[in-house]
Amino acid sequence: EKAAPMDIRPLVLEGARARLEPLTRDHRAALSAVGLEGDVFKWFPTPVTDDAGMLAFIETALEGQRQGSVLPFATIDRKSGAAVGSTRFAAIDRVHKRAEIGWTWLARPWQRSGINLDTKYLMLRQAFEVWGMIRVEFKTDRLNVQSQTALAGIGAKLEGTFRNHIITSTGRVRDSVWYSVIDREWPAVKTELARRLAAGG
């Protein structure tokens, strides 16, 4: 007897520091207000540099959601109630019970606040404990050492490098580094994430 397909639809995930709510066009102004300063999108293949770019970022996410392969969120700082970033499940594969967590960004004042850690905890818990996934993957630019350090820090396992993986908007050819967490690793990853969150992120 086949297992029921994962019931993946827009939902709210509530944590200690972060609330993840379904991304909509209504988040555009708030996200543009906080996300266009500095180099928040430095490592994105197509960086968001203006309000039109933010709208395109949201529209692309919503198109993926309509197709059933993407579930995007606005990241809300629970303390202030402000929208401070975005993240999403992507490459959702119901047959093989896997998905990617990515397209994640946080406005600079909220980086290293524990919000990103809480976001990963909420999403991984949803993936493994509610949807019954067996694999969650992450990919990042080979040059983005900060992201790789963060992924290793949550217990994701380095799998390897996809060479010449993406041509970025500047024409640079990007190598992508892949990490994953699989179902049998989740209990240990969960424990570590909970410990770090309790210690203040």
Side-chain angles (χ1 to χ4, degrees):
E1 183 179 312
K2 280 190 172 181
M6 293 184 290
D7 184 20
I8 299 174
R9 63 181 73 186
L11 77 164
V12 174
L13 298 176
E14 194 89 39
R17 295 178 176 82
R19 183 175 77 252
L20 299 179
E21 60 186 39
L23 181 67
T24 71
R25 293 176 191 86
D26 292 341
H27 291 108
R28 170 188 178 181
L31 292 179
S32 287
V34 298
L36 302 180
E37 295 296 317
D39 57 357
V40 171
F41 291 93
K42 177 179 181 178
W43 300 111
F44 278 59
T46 304
V48 176
T49 57
D50 55 25
D51 189 55
M54 187 66 74
L55 179 61
F57 176 86
I58 293 171
E59 292 287 2
T60 299
L62 295 177
E63 178 57 31
Q65 181 171 285
R66 284 189 288 273
Q67 294 171 0
S69 62
V70 172
L71 194 66
F73 298 96
T75 304
I76 310 299
D77 172 21
R78 283 198 61 193
K79 189 185 295 184
S80 67
V84 297
S86 181
T87 189
R88 69 186 73 162
F89 287 105
I92 296 168
D93 188 327
R94 291 163 175 80
V95 173
H96 298 291
K97 298 184 177 181
R98 65 176 184 243
E100 177 181 352
I101 292 175
W103 286 264
T104 302
W105 64 272
L106 266 183
R108 186 168 295 285
W110 290 272
Q111 292 177 15
R112 297 181 179 82
S113 67
I115 288 177
N116 187 49
L117 205 63
D118 201 17
T119 296
K120 294 294 188 290
Y121 177 83
L122 292 169
M123 295 177 78
L124 286 165
R125 187 177 66 184
Q126 180 71 21
F128 290 116
E129 297 182 14
V130 180
W131 292 333
M133 289 187 177
I134 62 172
R135 170 185 170 85
V136 175
E137 59 198 30
F138 308 83
K139 66 177 184 282
T140 187
D141 195 307
R142 184 181 61 81
L143 302 180
N144 188 352
V145 176
Q146 181 181 336
S147 174
Q148 292 167 54
T149 301
L151 286 168
I154 68 167
K157 296 285 191 291
L158 173 63
E159 292 187 324
T161 302
F162 280 31
R163 299 174 302 158
N164 285 7
H165 183 227
I166 293 171
I167 300 175
T168 69
S169 59
T170 64
R172 179 175 69 88
V173 178
R174 166 182 141 167
D175 296 344
S176 295
V177 183
W178 287 65
Y179 290 79
S180 70
V181 176
I182 61 175
D183 53 353
R184 65 177 176 266
E185 296 163 350
W186 168 237
V189 170
K190 180 181 182 180
T191 299
E192 177 60 14
L193 282 170
R195 183 196 67 76
R196 288 178 60 189
L197 284 165

